Amino acid sequence: MKKTVQYGILFGLAWILIKMVFHSIQDNGSNVTPVIFINMFLLLVAIAFGLFQHKKKEGYTSGNALSDIKSAMTVAIPYSVIVSLFLFLYYNNINPSYNQLKIKEADMTIDKDVDNPLILQKMKNDNEAFEVMSKEKIRKELKKGPRNFYNAKSTSLISLLALMMLSTIYSIFITIVYRKVMFRGLE
């Protein structure tokens, strides 16, 4: 197995460990913001570290930018897949109450908005399908959205897509920084 792939797996497992520490500290895991930023940071560090180790082995000035981006992505893809698979297991088996909490919060907001005549009229004006629906039918229709969004499958799929996009951006960025700044004077 390539070293870059091993680095991706290693950093992915490190994030899983951090996520589980946060899970044990928090009662229901409701504050996910720090873990999201740690995930983004670890992805950046994994790509930077993996590409640096690859360039150290290959030679700092050998290869071209596309080969460097490819090497960076060989770190990022295993990381993204491992994290996304873990998120599916986490929200499906370890902490399914998080999704139920978010659905409950969304339902309360929907109920409040539908019970407000001004907001209800604005909804009817903005959405032609709502014009002929009763208040309860609108409420039922609006509550379908959070139930489709807050589940383990959609969370893991969205995280995979987001991590892959971020991986591509980070890989290009790190390659540019390495080539234009760090390895500039080396021949």
Side-chain angles (χ1 to χ4, degrees):
M1 184 182 307
K2 285 183 173 182
K3 280 288 195 189
T4 52
V5 174
Q6 291 176 352
Y7 294 136
I9 292 169
L10 180 70
F11 278 91
L13 293 175
W15 181 82
I16 290 171
L17 181 66
I18 292 169
K19 176 74 172 167
M20 291 309 295
V21 167
F22 269 83
H23 174 73
S24 65
I25 292 171
Q26 296 176 345
D27 53 343
N28 63 358
S30 60
N31 188 10
V32 296
T33 306
V35 180
I36 291 171
F37 283 117
I38 291 170
N39 187 6
M40 292 168 49
F41 178 72
L42 274 181
L43 177 61
L44 179 66
V45 171
I47 291 170
F49 182 76
L51 183 58
F52 183 79
Q53 293 300 322
H54 174 74
K55 293 302 288 180
K56 185 175 164 184
K57 180 181 173 188
E58 178 187 62
Y60 294 118
T61 57
S62 62
N64 58 30
L66 287 178
S67 68
D68 291 351
I69 292 170
K70 178 185 167 196
S71 297
M73 290 298 288
T74 60
V75 177
I77 289 172
Y79 179 93
S80 301
V81 169
I82 286 174
V83 167
S84 297
L85 288 174
F86 173 75
L87 285 175
F88 175 77
L89 293 173
Y90 180 79
Y91 289 116
N92 197 46
N93 300 333
I94 299 170
N95 191 9
S97 62
Y98 175 79
N99 288 330
Q100 298 307 318
L101 174 72
K102 290 299 182 182
I103 289 171
K104 187 178 176 182
E105 289 174 0
D107 285 350
M108 288 173 28
T109 303
I110 290 169
D111 289 337
K112 188 179 91 173
D113 288 348
V114 170
D115 290 337
N116 185 331
L118 295 173
I119 295 176
L120 181 63
Q121 187 58 44
K122 185 174 179 348
M123 282 185 211
K124 287 184 176 185
N125 292 340
D126 292 344
N127 190 340
E128 292 179 13
F130 288 169
E131 288 178 7
V132 295
M133 289 185 186
S134 67
K135 189 182 201 180
E136 291 309 311
K137 184 81 172 167
I138 292 171
R139 185 185 321 264
K140 184 178 176 185
E141 201 63 33
L142 288 173
K143 287 185 177 183
K144 287 180 184 176
R147 281 161 181 72
N148 290 333
F149 183 74
Y150 289 112
N151 64 55
K153 287 180 187 175
S154 65
T155 302
S156 63
L157 181 62
I158 289 169
S159 77
L160 179 63
L161 294 172
L163 285 171
M164 292 306 295
M165 185 177 71
L166 196 58
S167 296
T168 305
I169 293 167
Y170 282 170
S171 295
I172 294 168
F173 176 73
I174 296 295
T175 298
I176 291 170
V177 169
Y178 279 178
R179 289 190 155 271
K180 297 292 182 186
V181 178
M182 289 186 63
F183 305 143
R184 187 176 199 178
L186 300 176
E187 288 298 327

